């Protein structure tokens, strides 16, 4: 527990010192990228408040102080990952994604479009990326089709990027339409498991043979995805850790990255 508290404190300090971002910049980050799984952040914060109140009510008992600090650390870790960590993860992954004038990419569960915009700005002329989502607020705060469409227009990316409403379990695209597919913390939101497996089958259907697949998702999900993708004929499947910058509250809820070739 002490190690976790130290690491989480380091994350908070790193955010404040190394990133050198003002409060206004962080608010801009929240507006543009949202907060993933905000219910988790609310839960950690609420538990910290409850423990703090109990600590005061029980005469400053050490155990309740430790519990308070523990949940504060979890909330801080979660907030770091959703504001900064997820961007760093994709900044590390995208240079390994081959992009060309022939690229036809799909972003599954694009949300605010963090990954979509990173790819769109890297695409050579002629390449294109499409983002799909069902725009649920519990998955990512304040995401909407209109918001992402407006940002695409504002950044002058109308020729290289587009978004639409679609369910990943029933993709409205032709077989083999894309040669690259990415997904960031989206597939695990599909319930139940049969829906997630159907989503992977749809990904296999619309991805061309030889196409690239990159999924960043919760650890327990990526391990299940690997088994299904192997069954679907994908190869060169690699699942790697993202380290502390991918912790959603702690090391027991890591984000892993799965890369594979169709």
């Amino acid at each position: 527990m002490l190690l976790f508290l130290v690491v989480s404190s380091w994350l908070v300090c790193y955010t404040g010192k190394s990133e050198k971002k003002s409060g206004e910049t962080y608010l801009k980050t929240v507006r543009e990228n949202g907060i993933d799984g905000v219910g988790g952040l609310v839960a950690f914060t609420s538990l910290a408040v409850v423990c703090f109140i109990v600590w005061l009510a029980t005469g400053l008992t050490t155990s309740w102080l430790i519990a308070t600090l523990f949940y504060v650390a979890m909330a801080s870790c979660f907030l770091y990952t959703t504001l900064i960590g997820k961007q760093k993860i994709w900044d590390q992954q995208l240079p390994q994604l081959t992009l060309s004038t022939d690229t036809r990419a799909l972003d599954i569960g694009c949300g605010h479009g963090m990954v979509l915009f990173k790819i769109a700005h890297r695409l050579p002329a002629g390449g294109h990326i499409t983002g799909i989502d069902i725009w649920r607020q519990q998955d990512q705060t304040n995401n909407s089709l209109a918001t992402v469409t407006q940002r695409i227009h504002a950044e002058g990316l109308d020729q290289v990027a587009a978004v639409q409403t679609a369910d990943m379990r029933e993709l409205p695209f032709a077989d083999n339409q894309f040669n690259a597919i990415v997904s960031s913390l989206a597939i695990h939101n599909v319930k139940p498991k049969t829906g997630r497996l159907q989503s992977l089958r749809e990904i296999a259907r619309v991805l061309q043979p030889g196409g690239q697949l990159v999924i960043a998702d919760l650890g327990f999900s990526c391990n299940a995805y690997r088994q299904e993708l192997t069954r679907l004929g994908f190869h060169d499947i690699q699942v790697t850790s993202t380290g502390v910058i991918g912790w959603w509250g702690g090391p027991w809820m890591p984000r892993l990255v799965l890369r594979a070739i169709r």
Side-chain angles (χ1 to χ4, degrees):
M1 180 182 291
L2 288 176
L3 176 60
F4 174 53
L5 292 174
V6 170
V7 171
S8 297
S9 299
W10 173 83
L11 287 172
V12 175
C13 292
Y14 182 79
T15 302
K17 294 178 181 179
S18 299
E19 298 297 324
K20 297 181 180 178
K21 290 186 177 181
S22 66
E24 181 181 346
T25 303
Y26 281 116
L27 288 175
K28 182 175 182 291
T29 300
V30 172
R31 288 194 300 269
E32 289 186 349
N33 298 319
I35 294 177
D36 299 280
V38 68
L41 181 60
V42 171
F44 296 148
T45 304
S46 299
L47 287 168
V49 171
V50 169
C51 290
F52 180 72
I53 293 173
V54 175
W55 175 63
L56 293 176
T58 56
L60 310 184
T61 306
T62 302
S63 59
W64 284 107
L65 175 60
I66 293 174
T68 300
L69 294 176
F70 180 74
Y71 286 117
V72 167
M74 289 180 69
S76 300
C77 184
F78 189 104
L79 194 59
Y80 177 88
T81 298
T82 194
L83 291 180
I84 297 173
K86 66 181 182 182
Q87 297 203 49
K88 287 182 172 293
I89 289 169
W90 282 99
D91 286 340
Q92 294 168 0
Q93 294 297 322
L94 289 181
Q96 304 173 53
L97 187 68
T98 302
L99 301 175
S100 69
T101 57
D102 296 322
T103 294
R104 294 297 178 268
L106 176 64
D107 186 354
I108 301 282
C110 64
H112 280 268
M114 181 195 73
V115 181
L116 179 142
F117 285 106
K118 287 181 180 295
I119 292 177
H121 284 293
R122 288 172 167 80
L123 276 172
H128 190 275
I129 180 167
T130 300
I132 64 108
D133 208 307
I134 56 174
W135 320 107
R136 296 198 314 175
Q137 299 304 302
Q138 62 264 42
D139 297 336
Q140 192 175 76
T141 57
N142 299 320
N143 63 349
S144 71
L145 177 65
T147 298
V148 183
T149 301
Q150 290 170 6
R151 186 178 169 193
I152 288 174
H153 181 69
E155 297 189 16
L157 298 171
D158 302 83
Q159 299 303 311
V160 296
V163 289
Q164 64 186 79
T165 300
D167 189 323
M168 68 179 77
R169 293 169 296 185
E170 297 182 33
L171 294 174
F173 305 114
D175 295 358
N176 304 324
Q177 185 167 335
F178 301 96
N179 49 29
I181 294 180
V182 297
S183 182
S184 181
L185 207 71
I187 301 175
H188 80 274
N189 288 318
V190 179
K191 305 292 188 298
K193 179 181 179 180
T194 53
R196 295 191 292 277
L197 297 181
Q198 175 60 24
S199 299
L200 295 177
R201 288 192 289 271
E202 279 292 274
I203 287 173
R205 180 182 66 80
V206 302
L207 185 61
Q208 299 173 9
Q212 307 164 88
L213 174 64
V214 185
I215 299 173
D217 213 327
L218 300 180
F220 65 86
S221 298
C222 283
N223 290 324
Y225 303 161
R226 173 165 48 188
Q227 296 177 14
E228 180 65 12
L229 291 172
T230 299
R231 190 188 70 79
L232 291 169
F234 282 76
H235 58 92
D236 294 341
I237 301 174
Q238 302 176 0
V239 178
T240 57
S241 169
T242 59
V244 295
I245 63 174
W247 287 0
W248 292 97
W252 45 82
M253 188 66 76
R255 175 184 285 199
L256 302 183
V257 173
L258 182 152
R259 306 183 68 94
I261 303 296
R262 178 74 174 97

